[in-house]
Amino acid sequence: MIQTLVAVLMWVLVASLLILRRGRPDRSITYASLTIAIAMTLNVDAIYLAVDPVFGGTNITTLLSDALLMIGLFFLGRAAMKAGEYRPRLVRAAVGRPALILALVTTTALFFFIDRGASTATFMLDLGDQPVTAAYSMIGFTYCGIVLAAMLALATRQLGVATGIQRIPAFLLLLGSACGVGLAVVVLVMDVAHVAGHLELMRMFGEAYGPLSLLTFLFLCAGFAGQPVVRSLRDRSRRAQIAQIVEELEPLWQRATSVRPGLSGTDALGASLNDPEGRLHREVVEIRDAMIDPRVTFEVTPTEVALLKRAEAQLLGLDSGVVREGLRADRGDNSWERT
């Protein structure tokens, strides 16, 4: 039942990302989620027992599922690392190609030394007493645990620098990564206990396997699906704030352009003025130009100055490059107007 729930969660995540991230050039998270979804689907008992006979009925599906899980986590970790500037050496090593290749080659080689027998939906319970089977599982879950530990470090960092609603996805990813690391530790203990014959210890830790597995993917799915949702809400709020500021700034800008006409009425800026951020930037620049131009008389009230500063602060939150251009104009460098 747990495996079915996890598979459903992963497919929900894939569908959500296809909808929420449509139009974005980077689809690495979507591809990673799709790979993990296939891996989790193959672990569903009914599907496993239906698919494995196609590969000869010797539990090759276990190797395929585990390999897909490692590949999916690899791309998930890479996507999480690319999302921010925090990329310490250990994190880069954990989600690097050499680590993945080493894990895949080692587990694949060990798998074919296992006395696998016929298809079984309880592979580790039936065959985990073989040392080579324990080694196979331990290497695979050690790699998964290392990648999830790297994601935990990245999520912790993101949680520290994020503000407001942006902290929610980071917190969910932190919880998911922490549960995943705990899951890897539980599996390692179970593998050692099984091969050593301590079945009571194995069963005791096995009680935590299902809940940790479900929580890991639940929090990870919520975190990754929440990122585009939060981004969309943030962008919508930002557009509403800009539209409001543009409306409030309009009378001041009209006065400024009446005494010192700018480029807002030219064709060169037609596209820019159709964009709210571009329009706000142009209005701020032209108001500032009128304020510093000694050839014209243009006075502003303290209330208007406060409004202008609020508009500049809004631009600062949008794009530091925009503000740098605005500052150039404020200093009297009108080269942008000549482009």
Side-chain angles (χ1 to χ4, degrees):
M1 183 63 180
I2 294 292
Q3 296 297 339
T4 302
L5 289 175
V6 170
V8 170
L9 280 174
M10 290 308 305
W11 285 113
V12 169
L13 175 61
V14 171
S16 301
L17 292 176
L18 287 174
I19 296 172
L20 297 172
R21 294 178 65 89
R22 64 182 183 277
R24 295 180 64 85
D26 184 9
R27 293 186 173 272
S28 53
I29 293 180
T30 304
Y31 296 145
S33 301
L34 177 61
T35 304
I36 297 174
I38 296 173
M40 293 298 101
T41 301
L42 290 175
N43 279 333
V44 176
D45 291 353
I47 296 176
Y48 182 96
L49 295 175
V51 171
D52 195 61
V54 177
F55 297 103
T58 58
N59 295 299
I60 294 293
T61 304
T62 293
L63 177 62
L64 177 61
S65 173
D66 291 343
L68 287 173
L69 176 60
M70 287 189 284
I71 293 171
L73 285 176
F74 163 77
F75 284 111
L76 210 58
R78 300 278 287 189
M81 184 179 68
K82 291 178 181 178
E85 297 181 357
Y86 180 66
R87 302 174 185 178
R89 182 176 301 177
L90 288 177
V91 170
R92 295 199 305 269
V95 298
R97 288 186 179 87
L100 173 66
I101 293 172
L102 178 62
L104 288 174
V105 170
T106 305
T107 52
T108 301
L110 287 172
F111 183 82
F112 288 101
F113 284 97
I114 299 173
D115 183 9
R116 302 189 302 276
S119 298
T120 172
T122 53
F123 183 82
M124 289 306 300
L125 287 177
D126 294 342
L127 308 174
D129 57 345
Q130 300 179 44
V132 68
T133 308
Y136 163 82
S137 175
M138 291 174 69
I139 291 174
F141 271 91
T142 296
Y143 173 77
C144 293
I146 290 173
V147 173
L148 287 164
M151 292 175 59
L152 175 61
L154 294 171
T156 302
R157 169 71 174 183
Q158 183 61 32
L159 184 63
V161 300
T163 58
I165 194 175
Q166 297 178 17
R167 294 171 61 89
I168 296 177
F171 182 66
L172 292 171
L173 291 177
L174 185 149
L175 290 177
S177 300
C179 289
V181 172
L183 176 64
V185 172
V186 164
V187 171
L188 293 178
V189 174
M190 290 174 63
D191 289 336
V192 173
H194 196 177
V195 79
H198 300 299
L199 300 185
E200 285 298 324
L201 179 62
M202 183 193 74
R203 282 191 284 269
M204 182 178 70
F205 274 82
E207 294 293 326
Y209 178 87
L212 279 176
S213 178
L214 182 60
L215 289 174
T216 295
F217 289 99
L218 176 63
F219 287 132
L220 288 178
C221 289
F224 281 112
Q227 287 178 335
V229 172
V230 167
R231 190 180 301 113
S232 176
L233 291 174
R234 183 190 61 194
D235 291 344
R236 185 177 301 177
S237 174
R238 185 181 67 186
R239 287 193 298 269
Q241 290 173 357
I242 287 188
Q244 181 181 352
I245 294 176
V246 167
E247 183 179 354
E248 294 176 2
L249 202 63
E250 191 80 11
L252 179 61
W253 173 71
Q254 292 285 358
R255 283 174 44 216
T257 53
S258 67
V259 298
R260 187 184 185 279
L263 292 180
S264 295
T266 67
D267 293 337
L269 289 174
S272 173
L273 293 178
N274 289 329
D275 171 53
E277 290 122 355
R279 182 177 183 84
L280 179 61
H281 173 241
R282 170 47 50 187
E283 290 186 357
V284 168
V285 169
E286 293 184 342
I287 292 170
R288 284 295 187 185
D289 284 347
M291 291 172 64
I292 64 175
D293 193 337
R295 298 170 299 176
V296 301
T297 300
F298 180 69
E299 296 181 358
V300 294
T301 66
T303 302
E304 291 171 333
V305 171
L307 175 60
L308 185 60
K309 289 182 177 180
R310 185 157 66 93
E312 290 170 334
Q314 182 68 32
L315 287 174
L316 181 62
L318 290 172
D319 186 351
S320 60
V322 169
V323 177
R324 284 196 295 270
E325 291 291 349
L327 291 176
R328 288 174 55 196
D330 289 346
R331 292 195 301 267
D333 182 355
N334 295 326
S335 59
W336 196 50
E337 294 186 359
R338 295 191 294 270
T339 59

